[in-house]
Amino acid sequence: MYVIAVYDVDQKRCGKMLKLCRSYLHHIQNSVFEGEITEGKLEELKVSAKKIMNEDDEDSLILFKSRNEKWLDKEIVGSEKRSVDNIL
Amino acid sequence: MYVIAVYDVDQKRCGKMLKLCRSYLHHIQNSVFEGEITEGKLEELKVSAKKIMNEDDEDSLILFKSRNEKWLDKEIVGSEKRSVDNIL
């Protein structure tokens, strides 16, 4: 399935979340990732994310799932120059 | 149509982008918005966003558009407690 993942975690845990999400999906913006992923791999990602996140600190990860990428049309307004994979 | 919007702008312009996006869509996480919007309103949002953003500073706004919300399944992992509309 096709997934868009966006996290919002305390700065202390950003590096770990970035590394985790990057190992499963493509990094397209600051805390935004997308890609094809299996149900099993997504489950792994969620379990690992929960271990990193601190819910009491209001960390969250939002997943938008679609059976097929073709149902979503992506548009980038503004700069496409930022090489997100070099942020950290 | 249904839209997910995620911006990544310099901190100096975050407040303006937040206010703009909030006036068209529902604020669901830090810099993430979603909602039903017409083609015309989305065009307005894009024009206004371009005025706020500084492309040389690598500001960007990513839009994921779907004709129908039902093609997307949203899941929140972690905290749902943060009342995003009170961040600023």
Side-chain angles (χ1 to χ4, degrees), chain A residues 2 4 6-10 28-34 42 46 49-50 53-67 71-84 87, chain B residues 2 4 6-10 28-34 42 46 49-50 53-67 71-84 87:
Chain A
Y2 171 76
I4 300 163
V6 196
Y7 63 73
D8 181 17
V9 302
D10 189 274
I28 55 169
Q29 198 198 57
N30 197 9
S31 55
V32 188
F33 302 78
E34 66 167 357
L42 184 61
K46 280 156 56 181
K50 279 179 190 163
M53 296 192 297
N54 181 347
E55 287 196 44
D56 296 335
D57 216 3
E58 300 184 343
D59 287 351
S60 73
L61 170 70
I62 302 181
L63 301 167
F64 296 96
K65 300 176 275 185
S66 177
R67 262 186 298 151
W71 290 335
L72 270 180
D73 178 26
K74 183 173 71 177
E75 181 180 358
I76 299 178
V77 182
S79 175
E80 292 188 59
K81 284 178 294 185
R82 183 171 291 171
S83 174
V84 287
I87 285 178
Chain B
Y2 171 77
I4 299 163
V6 196
Y7 62 72
D8 179 18
V9 302
D10 189 274
I28 55 169
Q29 198 198 58
N30 198 9
S31 55
V32 188
F33 302 78
E34 67 166 356
L42 183 62
K46 280 157 53 181
K50 279 178 189 165
M53 295 192 297
N54 181 348
E55 288 195 45
D56 296 334
D57 216 3
E58 301 184 342
D59 287 352
S60 72
L61 170 70
I62 301 181
L63 300 167
F64 295 95
K65 299 176 277 186
S66 177
R67 261 186 299 153
W71 290 334
L72 269 181
D73 178 25
K74 183 173 70 178
E75 181 180 359
I76 300 178
V77 182
S79 175
E80 292 189 58
K81 283 177 295 183
R82 182 171 290 170
S83 174
V84 286
I87 285 177

Side-chain angles (χ1 to χ4, degrees), chain B residues 43-55:
Chain B
E43 206 47 50
E44 263 182 40
L45 170 59
K46 280 157 53 181
V47 169
S48 302
K50 279 178 189 165
K51 285 181 189 161
I52 294 170
M53 295 192 297
N54 181 348
E55 288 195 45

